[in-house]
Amino acid sequence: MVDSISGSNSMRVGGLASGMDTDSLVEQLMNAERQKLYKLQQQQTKLNWQQDTYREVNTSLASFDDSLLSMKLSTTYNVKTASSTSSAVTATATASSANGTYSLEVNEIATSAINVSQGAIAGTDFNPNAAIGEQNFTNGTVTANDLKFSITTYDKDGAAQTTDFEFDTTDSLNKILKDISNSDAGVRAFYDEQSKKVILEKKDTGDFNKNGKEIEFSNNFFNNVLQLDQSAETGGVDAQFTYNGALPITSHSNSYTLGGVTFNFTEKTEKPVKVTVSNDVDAAFNKIKDFVDSYNKIVEDVNSKLSEKVYRDFPPLTDDQKKEMSEDEIKLWDEKAKSGMLKGDSVLQNSLYSLRSAWYNNVENDGAYSQLAQIGITTSNNYLDNGKLIIDEEKLKAALTENPDGVYKLFSNDVEGEGRGIVNRIEDTLKNTMDNIYQKAGKSTYTNDQFSIGKQLNDVQDRIDSFQDYLTQVEDRYWRQFTAMETAISQMNQQSAYLASNFGG
């Protein structure tokens, strides 16, 4: 048997003369040579696994870092809630709202000005989506001159605001009304097919034009065609209420803000409605608890990576080894092979130490609290928890009730040095940790030359490429040696046959 070698001009001669299985012999010899290649490939696989594990940790840290934003806001610690004795008046409180009880008596609800056609503008065969010039209206047809008109409304200062319109007779009524609604005129206009009437109403509630109507229009298009009588307008009323029995207030809308509290009115009241503003301690507590839980999860995940067992007898599988195993066997093997990728990693260990320091070190500020223990947050006594935090609910809620601003300063005092708040310190630590991991494992946008594992991967790949070239040379050498042997044996066999034929066997 003669085989050609890819990329070589030499010929491969199988065991024609010797009778040996040369292919099998060469393969066995090459398998022994390939062991170093397999180790390089396993090293490459482990580096890729380590890179992926680092990046998984960084993803978790980045997600936790994103959640810190809300913990830097004063509204997280000073949440206000407003309750009312009647659904006629509701309220929304902010962190700046003063706690206490407010009294409101609503005498008038704000309404929008509205005008409706006095009668049906067309018959049953009217099509509001067809060209308006081809339609028959109750009071005749529409000309191009009819479609040049203006609408005047009034702003919060009572100043007239006029918007001019011009349409074609090929436009439909629905298009005209839609364009009016989408304009700066501040009105909604639409056609009701059941009543065959047009509705024109102000988008804002309130009485803006004290001496007249809220919606004024020109041209016969509104009067004759749409049968809108300007004198028939209704609404345009301001809300009127009395605050704490002493201050009468008028508002264009059914919403009004006083002392950081926004009151909303839905109907008139027969008697004063009581609105109570107080600290929503449960909401603030839950936000802090969620934050602590997220931190504890980070501690748990990072510690699990640091303490994960390394199974040295389970190196990454080669392709040939995988061919001899089932999918379940491969999965179980890989679980052990991937275990311990970051065991004892110094970057993560230093990060945990810095995170603990961020929580435990005093925060020097002018608030009531400088340590977590003062507000009921301490470290677990169970060594298996690896520094997780536990919360004394009663003590933390008491601190949030008595001095929410002091809790806020403890967590989020935005200064440098010993007065830096806990959240800011954690944010600093997370940034340093993620930057260190980027230096080791990079980002998806990095090239291998930009981080240490990537450089190692490049080096291993270069060694793999060089070794594969070496294996090609070794295999060629083996085949040359076996070919030479086969050639020699063949020549000897030819000589033997010649002698046998000449000397009569």
Side-chain angles (χ1 to χ4, degrees):
M1 179 177 71
V2 179
D3 296 327
S4 64
I5 303 175
S6 174
S8 172
N9 293 323
S10 62
M11 303 297 292
R12 292 180 175 180
V13 180
L16 294 175
S18 66
M20 293 188 299
D21 185 355
T22 309
D23 282 329
S24 178
L25 288 171
V26 172
E27 182 62 24
Q28 291 178 42
L29 289 168
M30 290 307 299
N31 279 339
E33 296 283 354
R34 290 191 189 102
Q35 294 307 307
K36 184 176 180 180
L37 174 65
Y38 293 152
K39 289 183 178 179
L40 286 172
Q41 291 173 335
Q42 288 171 331
Q43 182 182 354
Q44 185 181 53
T45 300
K46 289 185 73 172
L47 284 170
N48 280 318
W49 285 350
Q50 189 178 49
Q51 173 185 285
D52 291 342
T53 307
Y54 269 126
R55 291 185 179 182
E56 287 172 8
V57 171
N58 242 11
T59 299
S60 297
L61 295 179
S63 178
F64 179 55
D65 186 49
D66 290 341
S67 71
L68 297 182
L69 177 60
S70 63
M71 299 305 299
K72 296 166 73 174
L73 304 175
S74 62
T75 52
T76 297
Y77 309 89
N78 193 14
V79 184
K80 300 287 186 175
T81 183
S83 59
S84 174
T85 58
S86 171
S87 60
V89 179
T90 59
T92 304
T94 64
S96 62
S97 306
N99 290 349
T101 300
Y102 304 80
S103 171
L104 286 97
E105 186 172 3
V106 182
N107 305 310
E108 192 70 63
I109 293 294
T111 61
S112 299
I114 183 170
N115 203 332
V116 180
S117 299
Q118 297 299 294
I121 65 172
T124 56
D125 60 344
F126 179 74
N127 183 356
N129 293 311
I132 196 168
E134 299 174 1
Q135 300 297 304
N136 292 317
F137 288 85
T138 302
N139 292 337
T141 58
V142 175
T143 66
N145 189 56
D146 292 327
L147 298 177
K148 298 177 182 179
F149 54 82
S150 63
I151 296 176
T152 299
T153 56
Y154 294 83
D155 63 18
K156 62 180 182 178
D157 298 319
Q161 305 292 322
T162 300
T163 307
D164 296 321
F165 297 91
E166 183 174 353
F167 297 96
D168 297 323
T169 54
T170 54
D171 292 326
S172 68
L173 176 63
N174 277 345
K175 180 187 183 303
I176 292 171
L177 297 179
K178 182 179 179 181
D179 286 355
I180 291 173
S181 298
N182 292 336
S183 72
D184 296 329
V187 297
R188 283 186 294 269
F190 56 93
Y191 171 73
D192 175 47
E193 293 199 36
Q194 182 176 352
S195 65
K196 305 293 183 183
K197 294 181 178 182
V198 169
I199 294 89
L200 192 65
E201 61 182 335
K202 189 86 178 290
K203 291 181 180 178
D204 295 326
T205 59
D207 181 7
F208 295 88
N209 183 17
K210 302 300 181 182
N211 300 316
K213 299 301 180 182
E214 297 297 316
I215 308 171
E216 298 173 350
F217 39 80
S218 66
N219 198 294
N220 289 334
F221 179 66
F222 289 97
N223 295 327
N224 294 342
V225 180
L226 303 184
Q227 298 189 43
L228 289 166
D229 184 350
Q230 199 158 278
S231 65
E233 177 188 297
T234 60
V237 176
D238 286 336
Q240 296 179 13
F241 67 97
T242 303
Y243 174 74
N244 278 348
L247 178 63
I249 294 176
T250 299
S251 169
H252 288 315
S253 72
N254 290 308
S255 179
Y256 198 87
T257 300
L258 278 168
V261 182
T262 300
F263 300 96
N264 301 291
F265 321 120
T266 58
E267 57 184 299
K268 297 179 184 179
T269 60
E270 296 180 357
K271 59 181 180 180
V273 174
K274 300 293 184 182
V275 173
T276 302
V277 175
S278 58
N279 288 344
D280 190 348
V281 174
D282 288 337
F285 171 83
N286 288 333
K287 289 181 180 180
I288 295 175
K289 182 179 182 301
D290 290 344
F291 172 55
V292 170
D293 289 343
S294 296
Y295 168 79
N296 285 340
K297 182 67 167 57
I298 289 292
V299 169
E300 181 180 340
D301 291 346
V302 172
N303 272 307
S304 69
K305 299 294 184 187
L306 290 170
S307 60
E308 212 170 36
K309 185 176 180 179
V310 177
Y311 294 91
R312 302 191 184 282
D313 295 333
F314 288 82
L317 294 169
T318 64
D319 291 337
D320 290 338
Q321 289 172 325
K322 289 180 180 179
K323 292 176 183 177
E324 300 174 0
M325 301 171 68
S326 69
E327 288 186 7
D328 289 340
E329 288 173 332
I330 294 172
K331 181 179 179 182
L332 292 172
W333 184 285
D334 282 350
E335 284 179 0
K336 290 190 174 181
K338 291 180 179 180
S339 178
M341 287 293 105
L342 302 182
K343 182 177 176 64
D345 182 79
S346 60
V347 171
L348 297 184
Q349 284 181 329
N350 290 336
S351 174
L352 283 182
Y353 175 78
S354 296
L355 285 173
R356 293 190 188 106
S357 297
W359 285 97
Y360 306 150
N361 289 345
N362 282 5
V363 178
E364 303 300 335
N365 62 81
D366 58 358
Y369 311 111
S370 60
Q371 291 182 337
L372 275 178
Q374 293 175 299
I375 63 170
I377 302 178
T378 55
T379 308
S380 170
N381 292 325
N382 187 345
Y383 76 95
L384 295 176
D385 285 338
N386 292 304
K388 287 184 179 180
L389 300 173
I390 56 175
I391 297 176
D392 183 329
E393 181 174 346
E394 184 177 347
K395 194 169 184 179
L396 178 54
K397 285 186 175 181
L400 289 168
T401 300
E402 296 166 6
N403 198 329
D405 186 59
V407 179
Y408 163 66
K409 288 183 177 180
L410 175 64
F411 276 98
S412 194
N413 202 35
D414 192 11
V415 298
E416 299 298 328
E418 295 182 354
R420 194 159 178 78
I422 292 171
V423 173
N424 305 83
R425 293 175 179 177
I426 291 174
E427 191 174 51
D428 296 342
T429 297
L430 291 176
K431 183 182 183 304
N432 290 335
T433 302
M434 289 189 289
D435 286 345
N436 288 334
I437 291 178
Y438 290 143
Q439 291 177 15
K440 275 200 167 186
K443 300 180 182 179
S444 60
T445 56
Y446 282 18
T447 62
N448 280 1
D449 291 332
Q450 293 178 276
F451 56 100
S452 60
I453 291 180
K455 293 175 182 177
Q456 293 177 65
L457 284 168
N458 284 344
D459 178 64
V460 172
Q461 185 60 55
D462 290 342
R463 291 161 64 190
I464 287 175
D465 293 340
S466 297
F467 199 76
Q468 285 176 329
D469 291 340
Y470 164 77
L471 289 177
T472 299
Q473 296 171 8
V474 170
E475 187 174 9
D476 286 347
R477 176 166 57 82
Y478 282 138
W479 273 107
R480 287 196 303 271
Q481 290 172 339
F482 276 108
T483 297
M485 182 189 72
E486 292 292 336
T487 301
I489 292 174
S490 177
Q491 290 174 348
M492 291 175 64
N493 287 340
Q494 289 175 2
Q495 291 174 357
S496 177
Y498 173 78
L499 292 172
S501 66
N502 282 314
F503 291 98

